[in-house]
Amino acid sequence: MRSLRISARAQAQLREISAYIVRESGHRGLADAFRRRLVQKGRRLASLPGTLGTARTDLGPDIRSTPVANYILIFRYTADTVDVLAVLHASRDTIAHFGAG
């Protein structure tokens, strides 16, 4: 089983998502639950055999993505880990975010 690593950028994005949910809903518990859901998706990717998600060669070599509600988890498999590189709202320009293209 691979381990899950969350980049500093993705961790900051998770905090921003949580802050947004609290600001808009007024419910810290809702924000915490959604953050757990995003992280759990990463753990699931790490625990399952094989290669999941959609190949995103437009973002860089070996980069993949998978949706979680209105967000996109951007990640990469290595031999021992699943590295979460970013967590972006689905409406964001993912290619511009990565400076690809």
Side-chain angles (χ1 to χ4, degrees):
M1 181 169 121
R2 297 176 181 111
S3 62
L4 177 65
R5 288 192 309 197
I6 302 174
S7 72
R9 172 170 51 179
Q11 288 178 23
Q13 291 163 336
L14 288 169
R15 285 190 298 274
E16 291 168 9
I17 292 165
S18 291
Y20 173 79
I21 293 171
V22 169
R23 197 170 47 251
E24 292 299 312
S25 72
H27 296 283
R28 167 55 68 192
L30 184 63
D32 292 344
F34 189 68
R35 182 180 178 141
R36 282 191 302 273
R37 182 175 171 193
L38 290 165
V39 172
Q40 184 58 35
K41 181 69 170 199
R43 286 188 183 123
R44 182 159 171 74
L45 291 167
S47 71
L48 294 173
T51 303
L52 303 172
T54 301
R56 295 298 306 264
T57 56
D58 55 331
L59 302 179
D62 304 319
I63 296 180
R64 306 187 74 77
S65 69
T66 192
V68 181
N70 291 331
Y71 288 84
I72 306 293
L73 220 60
I74 310 292
F75 65 98
R76 176 182 291 141
Y77 285 106
T78 70
D80 300 323
T81 65
V82 168
D83 297 331
V84 175
L85 307 173
V87 183
L88 302 175
H89 192 274
S91 67
R92 298 270 310 266
D93 182 347
T94 307
I95 294 172
H97 179 80
F98 272 82

